[in-house]
Amino acid sequence: MRLEDLEIFRAVHETSSFQRAAQRSGLSQSAVTKIVRKLEDEFGMALMERGAGVIALTPAGRTLYERAIELADLAAATRRDMVSEAAALRGSVRLGVVPALLHSVATPVLSEVLAKSKAAQIQLTVKHSAELVRLVEDGKLDLALCFGVQHVAPNVACALVGHQRYQLVVRAGHPLLARRPSLQQLSQMGWLLPPSGVTLRAEIERMFSDAELGPLNVRIESDASATLLTPFILQGNLIGVLAEQALHPLSKEGLGALDVDLPALLGNVVIYYRRRAPSVGVVMDIRHRLEAQARSNLPA
């Protein structure tokens, strides 16, 4: 039994045709038929029922089909693991970081690593949290330093390294800026928020739902860095959410924080990595350095 034979078997079932399976795999129809017959001979039972132009799996064929999917997934995961191992062995680390943590946490660590080792190579990806976690799940990143997301694949582990404080921000001259607005008043405004899968968004919406206020009027939802979207706030009456360290430089451009009587808005800062992370030291070294840097710079 070869993985390639199982792929052909899957193709016959998924296309309901030996001919289409042959086209999909680049083989002749007779070669596809021989592969299926070889599998049936190997297991000593029929795997497919053929008749009247219909191809259906037998119970044994259904079991083999399900196992073929599992084996294909395992083979793909194994290839990703070995790519990670090979890259780490060369001193290459694939790191993802959200923009808000790039300068305060990632930059000092990477500067230290590059100064320490002339062989170290960093493949740096800067994206929003949900996309970084997906890249870790797919084996395209070794580590991701970002904010907590709600849904993570079983093959991904994480380490909580601190919290990020946020402020509700509006433009200078906004009608709510000169007073302490209530939840009721905030709920009546338009908002600019991250996607619903981000934990911060869920925390904000939970405050209003707990107060039995309706869903927020989210006028703009974006997975881009909040600092890139401040023109929408500066040119209208939208309320946005910004990391504390990003607010100070933007205050000079006319952005201000609302004085609200609410619990502090905190987002989890997390390092995500695949459970079968590369076993050589460079990835683990950077991970531990990132953890230490984040814990020293961010609230516990």
Side-chain angles (χ1 to χ4, degrees):
M1 181 178 61
R2 304 182 308 157
L3 288 174
E4 294 86 350
D5 293 344
L6 294 179
E7 285 296 310
I8 299 301
F9 176 75
R10 285 181 57 188
V12 173
H13 171 61
E14 291 168 1
T15 63
S16 299
S17 165
F18 282 83
Q19 182 179 4
R20 286 191 291 269
Q23 293 170 347
R24 177 163 136 179
S25 59
L27 298 175
S28 66
Q29 183 173 337
S30 62
V32 169
T33 301
K34 287 179 181 178
I35 287 171
V36 173
R37 285 177 178 168
K38 184 177 74 172
L39 288 171
E40 291 179 324
D41 291 340
E42 180 172 351
F43 295 113
M45 64 188 83
L47 300 173
M48 291 182 169
E49 295 176 348
R50 311 162 181 82
V54 177
I55 300 174
L57 294 178
T58 64
R62 172 60 59 182
T63 298
L64 183 62
Y65 176 73
E66 293 171 354
R67 291 291 183 267
I69 293 175
E70 293 173 4
L71 286 170
D73 291 342
L74 180 59
T78 301
R79 292 187 184 97
R80 289 194 295 265
D81 289 341
M82 299 314 294
V83 168
S84 297
E85 292 284 356
L89 195 60
R90 296 192 302 269
S92 177
V93 178
R94 302 166 302 170
L95 172 66
V97 186
V98 291
L101 300 174
L102 178 60
H103 299 297
S104 61
V105 180
T107 299
V109 168
L110 298 183
S111 298
E112 289 177 3
V113 171
L114 292 173
K116 174 184 173 184
S117 171
K118 293 183 179 180
Q121 293 182 328
I122 311 297
Q123 298 178 33
L124 185 62
T125 300
V126 181
K127 293 182 180 292
H128 63 92
S129 298
E131 178 63 18
L132 291 177
V133 174
R134 281 196 293 270
L135 290 173
V136 173
E137 292 173 356
D138 293 341
K140 297 177 180 178
L141 287 178
D142 300 309
L143 300 168
L145 174 66
C146 56
F147 303 118
V149 299
Q150 290 184 297
H151 305 292
V152 181
N155 67 330
V156 174
C158 65
L160 176 65
V161 296
H163 296 91
Q164 171 68 61
R165 294 186 183 276
Y166 292 92
Q167 297 278 359
L168 300 183
V169 296
V170 293
R171 63 171 176 81
H174 191 283
L176 297 182
L177 190 59
R179 49 181 164 162
R180 177 172 287 188
S182 65
L183 269 180
Q184 176 73 39
Q185 291 171 317
L186 292 173
S187 68
Q188 295 170 353
M189 303 300 297
W191 287 73
L192 187 160
L193 290 176
S196 56
V198 176
T199 303
L200 176 64
R201 165 77 174 269
E203 290 298 321
I204 293 171
E205 292 183 326
R206 187 176 296 114
M207 287 194 303
F208 291 90
S209 62
D210 289 347
E212 298 184 349
L213 295 171
L216 292 179
N217 180 20
V218 181
R219 303 297 305 278
I220 297 179
E221 175 182 285
S222 176
D223 56 18
S225 171
T227 55
L228 298 176
L229 300 173
T230 52
F232 290 105
I233 301 174
L234 292 169
Q235 297 175 26
N237 285 332
L238 295 179
I239 299 175
V241 186
L242 203 63
E244 274 190 346
Q245 69 267 27
L247 176 59
H248 178 67
L250 291 171
S251 63
K252 300 175 184 178
E253 299 180 16
L255 210 62
L258 289 175
D259 181 15
V260 292
D261 185 18
L262 295 172
L265 275 176
L266 295 175
N268 292 335
V269 178
V270 180
I271 295 178
Y272 289 96
Y273 54 95
R274 297 178 72 236
R275 295 188 183 277
R276 293 184 178 272
S279 55
V280 294
V282 63
V283 173
M284 296 300 294
D285 179 44
I286 289 181
R287 176 185 151 195
H288 292 152
R289 287 173 181 267
L290 287 172
E291 290 179 5
Q293 181 71 19
R295 291 191 169 113
S296 67
N297 280 20
L298 301 168

